[in-house]
């Protein structure tokens, strides 16, 4: 392929725009999405002599569950596989200090069965915070390729480009088996729409997605559930995702505050220890006075 379409997706403040700027340099254009004021930034990036990428910097989103305009931009892009803007590959930007929260969105994007590269940004802060990551283990559990990046220090940007070039070799298997949320319900959905992605159907049913209304009405009618039931199932989905993420990070991530070079982190520890020390001391004193 001569032109690879890339979507940059991630939680707010993970460094998406910084990564975008590093990848695209000055080759960017800023516009808006039709009808809404959400900013749309598109840039190009040369990957090799023969291949370029167009990169879209999408608005920051925490998950695909809530319905803000920003989230809808991301959902609508991923729902419409026939759209000319549908990405070939997603670059999901996360950062070392909030991996657990960031990975929630990662597991949801993965369930669209789209090639997804995981960027773990701000790796310059790992020593500072005493964070160690077992990248091969994380790659295997999360079923993808990872680029450990510091967009501030310009580390790992070339790795992202290499991974984008090789996107066709990324696995597209989902993280969560959507059926496990409610096996009977999803079994019926699968029968009624055999060629559709289960997670996509689930989002069309639960989300306030403006687009694909017709499709949604078709799906809605025989599969209507009460608002309360849908909320309950959404909660179950989130719990299942966090179970998976916790299991993954239990082995793949070590945080050792005693190794943190961040003076503030050390100070916090000393202060907390001192505080509890004094507290116990006063209780003992108090006890002596009482007796
Ligand atoms: P976005 O909201 O995801 O687009 O994030 P931004 O690119 O605006 O960055 C959010 C904040 O993180 C800014 O203050 C950046 O300077 C900072 N930041 C971005 N990348 C890095 C990095 O690699 N290391 C560190 N330490 N900070 C970073
Ligand atoms: Mg940004």
């Amino acid at each position: 392929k001569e032109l690879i379409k890339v979507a940059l997706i991630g939680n707010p403040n993970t460094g998406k725009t910084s990564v975008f700027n590093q990848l695209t340099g000055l080759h960017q254009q800023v516009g808006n999405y039709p009808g809404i004021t959400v900013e749309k930034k598109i840039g190009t990036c040369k990957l090799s002599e023969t291949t370029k990428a167009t990169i879209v910097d999408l608005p920051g989103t925490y998950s695909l569950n809530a319905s803000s305009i920003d989230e809808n931009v991301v959902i609508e892009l991923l729902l419409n596989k026939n759209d000319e803007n549908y990405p070939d590959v997603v670059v999901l930007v996360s950062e070392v200090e909030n991996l657990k929260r960031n990975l929630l969105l990662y597991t949801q994007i993965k369930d669209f069965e789209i090639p997804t590269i995981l960027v773990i940004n701000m790796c310059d802060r790992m020593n500072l915070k005493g964070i160690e990551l077992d990248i091969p283990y994380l790659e295997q559990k999360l079923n993808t390729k990872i680029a450990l990046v510091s967009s501030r220090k310009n580390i790992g940007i070339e790795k992202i480009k290499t991974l984008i070039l090789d996107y066709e070799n990324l696995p597209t298997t989902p993280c969560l088996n959507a059926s496990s949320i409610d096996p009977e319900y999803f079994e019926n959905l699968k029968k009624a729409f055999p060629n559709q992605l289960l997670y996509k159907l689930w989002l069309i049913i639960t989300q306030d997605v403006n687009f694909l209304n017709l499709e949604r009405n078709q799906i809605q009618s025989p599969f209507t559930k009460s608002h309360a039931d849908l909320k309950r199932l959404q909660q179950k989905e989130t719990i299942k995702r966090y179970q998976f993420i916790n299991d993954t990070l239990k082995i793949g991530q070590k945080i050792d505050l005693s190794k943190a070079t961040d003076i503030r982190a050390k100070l916090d520890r000393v202060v907390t220890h001192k505080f509890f020390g004094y507290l116990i001391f006063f209780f003992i004193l108090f006890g002596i006075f009482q007796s």
Side-chain angles (χ1 to χ4, degrees), residues 94-291:
S94 64
E95 50 100 358
V96 283
E97 282 190 77
N98 293 295
L99 252 193
K100 183 172 157 181
R101 167 152 48 89
N102 297 163
L103 285 177
L104 179 72
L105 181 63
Y106 168 81
T107 66
Q108 290 181 319
I109 302 289
K110 254 309 241 169
D111 289 357
F112 279 97
E113 303 186 11
I114 183 169
T116 306
I117 295 162
L118 180 61
V119 165
I120 304 181
N121 190 29
M122 306 199 193
C123 69
D124 55 287
R125 297 179 64 79
M126 288 172 72
N127 284 339
L128 222 58
K129 295 289 169 182
I131 299 173
E132 280 174 29
L133 296 174
D134 183 344
I135 298 294
Y137 177 82
L138 291 174
E139 283 185 330
Q140 179 233 319
K141 274 290 271 194
L142 297 169
N143 210 347
T144 189
K145 289 286 176 195
I146 294 177
L148 200 55
V149 169
S150 167
S151 53
R152 180 168 288 179
K153 305 226 155 135
N154 199 0
I155 297 168
I157 301 294
E158 288 307 312
K159 173 82 189 252
I160 303 177
K161 293 183 190 173
T162 312
L163 293 178
I164 294 173
L165 255 178
D166 200 32
Y167 82 93
E168 278 160 316
N169 290 322
L170 288 169
T172 53
T173 34
C175 272
L176 184 82
N177 177 7
S179 317
S180 68
I181 301 170
D182 184 339
E184 200 189 318
Y185 183 67
F186 278 89
E187 201 46 54
N188 289 331
L189 261 180
K190 217 189 295 187
K191 272 192 206 128
F193 303 96
N195 299 321
Q196 291 274 25
L197 211 66
L198 264 188
Y199 188 59
K200 177 183 161 181
L201 292 172
W202 174 237
L203 277 182
I204 293 175
I205 290 170
T206 52
Q207 296 309 128
D208 185 21
V209 182
N210 301 322
F211 143 103
L212 292 178
N213 256 325
L214 210 162
E215 194 174 345
R216 181 159 57 157
N217 289 337
Q218 273 176 8
I219 296 171
Q220 285 286 35
S221 46
F223 290 101
T224 310
K225 268 187 180 285
S226 74
H227 186 70
D229 274 352
L230 285 178
K231 276 272 164 284
R232 192 178 49 78
L233 287 184
Q234 274 185 319
Q235 271 165 11
K236 202 168 160 193
E237 179 196 338
T238 307
I239 290 169
K240 279 189 175 290
R241 290 189 189 282
Y242 272 126
Q243 274 169 351
F244 169 73
I245 294 166
N246 282 336
D247 287 349
T248 304
L249 291 183
K250 208 180 277 170
I251 298 174
Q253 172 188 252
K254 287 200 174 59
I255 303 179
D256 186 347
L257 273 187
S258 69
K259 285 188 190 152
T261 57
D262 186 349
I263 296 172
R264 260 182 318 164
K266 282 209 169 137
L267 212 62
D268 281 352
R269 245 161 33 93
V270 173
V271 170
T272 339
H273 283 181
K274 272 204 177 141
F275 174 73
F276 283 111
Y278 282 127
L279 205 68
I280 291 164
F281 178 63
F282 279 119
F283 269 113
I284 293 169
L285 266 188
F286 189 68
I288 292 170
F289 272 118
Q290 287 279 303
S291 57

Side-chain angles (χ1 to χ4, degrees), residues 35-47:
I36 48 175
T37 56
V38 177
E39 192 177 81
K40 184 178 190 178
K41 274 176 107 180
I42 301 182
T44 55
C45 167
K46 189 175 169 186
L47 298 173

Side-chain angles (χ1 to χ4, degrees), residues 13 15-18 57-58 60:
N13 292 318
K16 259 186 334 307
T17 302
S18 311
D57 183 17
L58 285 148

